[in-house]
Amino acid sequence: MLHTGAVVFWWIGPIIVLVVIPVLDWLIGEDGSNPRDEDYELLSNDRYYRWCTYLFLPIQLIGLAVACYMWAGDELDVVDKLGLAATLGLVSGIGINAAHELGHRVEHLERWLAKIALAQSGYGHFFVEHNRGHHARVATPEDPASGRLGESLWEFLPRSVSGSFRSAIGLERERLARKGKGWWNADNHILQAWSMTLVLFGGLIAAFGPRVLPYLALQAVIGIALLETVNYVEHYGLLRSRRPNGLYARCSPRDSWNSDHLVTNIFLFHLQRHSDHHANPGRRYQTLRSSQQAPQLPAGYATMIVLAAIPPLWRRIMDGRVLDHYDGDITLANIHPRKRRRILSAHGVTA
């Protein structure tokens, strides 16, 4: 922007994520190659890949500080400031993805870095809910972050945001109770993460003034919306099978949508190899594998989040794939309860 004077660059985040990356995914295509078994330990312990996640945090936070300086000034008009907020919001959403990778690790440092990465979005309870809630209930009707067949993105978003929040509070309250501790305790992971947001936002407001607050809130909302849209894409319509005792079977690669589109995988730390991630959550992102059992998305996440925003187009593309995944048996899918009777009837099944 400084060198060209082209105001379109304030919107560079949406342009890259929603236009450039989908085009590159289409041009470059897929890479379904997997790491060799004999290279697993070496690859897992290679610290280069850890630094790729570590270094995202200073880039993320420095960018937020620069944006606040611009929001607080009078050089930009409101439209340009909104574009900058949209760009920072997408950075915030990718920051949640970095937190997702770091939060799965057992190393104390990386778990703290995950909470720092979540500070920009104010979505600190994700640290608790994703690991202890979503991974336990994924691809079941009990999971607020698993999209249901027939459920639009716009129906899913409020259900996932509110349900994940309630679940995180309950899970953390139970964990603290087992340790004989109350909610207001320094060991509370949610309060730790939320405190980081308060410190970050409070410091930025103190430095640049209250004019930055609406834009800080907007970029956080955009980051959260990006995360939850990806959640919707990752498990839409998929349902884990049940064991004879009525309990759900262990999560397998069949219970998450997979994509091997190379460019988006590079930008998102292999998040699109989500089938292997849920089947083996302890694996670091560079060791994730593509599975023949996993249902395949027709495009990368960058494309799919655009399609998800248009429900009729999304259902035309995805509902048939859900049905094919279950060999034509619609009763095996995770169906939106309110639309269950109509969907089953459309496929000749009595509810």
Side-chain angles (χ1 to χ4, degrees):
M1 171 60 202
L2 178 66
H3 290 289
T4 66
V7 296
V8 69
F9 281 109
W10 297 122
W11 297 85
I12 194 66
I15 291 170
I16 290 176
V17 173
L18 304 179
V19 180
V20 175
I21 293 178
V23 170
L24 290 175
D25 265 341
W26 178 71
L27 290 174
I28 295 174
E30 300 180 1
D31 176 16
S33 61
N34 289 325
R36 300 184 306 170
D37 289 342
E38 55 266 35
D39 294 333
Y40 176 82
E41 288 298 329
L42 181 65
L43 191 60
S44 182
N45 293 322
D46 189 338
R47 299 194 68 83
Y48 164 80
Y49 296 97
R50 302 190 192 188
W51 279 101
C52 288
T53 54
Y54 299 167
L55 291 176
F56 189 84
L57 274 67
I59 293 171
Q60 174 186 357
L61 296 176
I62 291 169
L64 184 62
V66 172
C68 284
Y69 172 79
M70 302 303 299
W71 288 327
D74 297 318
E75 291 183 67
L76 306 186
D77 61 26
V78 172
V79 173
D80 293 339
K81 289 182 178 181
L82 290 175
L84 183 56
T87 292
L88 266 292
L90 293 175
V91 172
S92 178
I94 298 172
I96 299 177
N97 181 46
H100 165 259
E101 172 64 23
L102 293 165
H104 272 290
R105 309 283 68 89
V106 297
E107 288 81 357
H108 193 65
L109 171 63
E110 292 184 80
R111 291 172 66 82
W112 273 102
L113 290 175
K115 296 170 188 173
I116 294 172
L118 290 167
Q120 181 177 345
S121 62
Y123 219 50
H125 60 278
F126 173 84
F127 178 86
V128 170
E129 167 55 20
H130 179 81
N131 292 333
R132 305 210 314 265
H134 176 60
H135 269 266
R137 299 184 296 241
V138 65
T140 72
E142 290 76 31
D143 180 33
S146 292
R148 300 162 177 172
L149 183 70
E151 181 180 37
S152 75
L153 172 65
W154 309 112
E155 294 173 299
F156 170 83
L157 286 175
R159 180 176 71 82
S160 184
V161 170
S162 61
S164 296
F165 177 82
R166 292 194 301 270
S167 175
I169 297 296
L171 287 168
E172 188 64 2
R173 196 182 299 277
E174 289 173 9
R175 185 188 73 87
L176 291 169
R178 287 195 300 271
K179 298 175 72 173
K181 299 178 179 180
W183 176 258
W184 300 103
N185 189 283
D187 189 34
N188 187 321
H189 291 308
I190 294 178
L191 293 184
Q192 290 170 0
W194 285 349
S195 296
M196 291 179 186
T197 297
L198 288 175
V199 170
L200 176 62
F201 282 23
L204 292 171
I205 292 169
F208 300 106
R211 295 178 67 182
V212 304
L213 183 56
Y215 299 103
L216 282 173
L218 177 59
Q219 64 83 30
V221 169
I222 292 172
I224 292 166
L226 179 62
L227 162 75
E228 294 293 357
T229 302
V230 169
N231 276 337
Y232 176 76
V233 169
E234 288 170 339
H235 304 286
Y236 177 76
L238 301 181
L239 181 65
R240 274 153 59 191
S241 59
R242 287 187 183 269
R243 298 170 177 161
N245 61 5
L247 298 176
Y248 287 106
R250 185 182 183 274
C251 191
S252 78
R254 289 178 51 83
D255 303 318
S256 309
W257 291 98
N258 188 77
S259 174
D260 288 324
H261 285 81
L262 180 61
V263 176
T264 304
N265 263 331
I266 290 172
F267 270 84
L268 295 182
F269 305 115
H270 274 184
L271 180 66
Q272 295 181 134
R273 290 194 165 179
H274 211 61
S275 297
D276 193 25
H277 169 68
H278 269 281
N280 302 283
R283 285 183 179 169
R284 290 186 177 271
Y285 74 92
Q286 67 269 25
T287 67
L288 292 174
R289 304 174 184 185
S290 183
S291 170
Q292 294 296 320
Q293 302 176 45
Q296 299 295 321
L297 290 170
Y301 282 4
T303 302
M304 298 308 294
I305 61 177
V306 176
L307 299 178
I310 311 170
L313 182 58
W314 171 263
R315 292 201 60 192
R316 176 173 294 186
I317 292 171
M318 288 302 298
D319 285 13
R321 284 179 166 79
V322 174
L323 190 62
D324 290 343
H325 179 58
Y326 293 116
D327 298 322
D329 188 349
I330 195 67
T331 64
L332 298 179
N334 184 7
I335 303 175
H336 190 5
R338 188 165 55 81
K339 301 178 182 178
R340 183 177 182 83
R341 184 179 299 273
R342 177 169 59 81
I343 291 173
L344 292 178
S345 177
H347 289 85
V349 179
T350 302

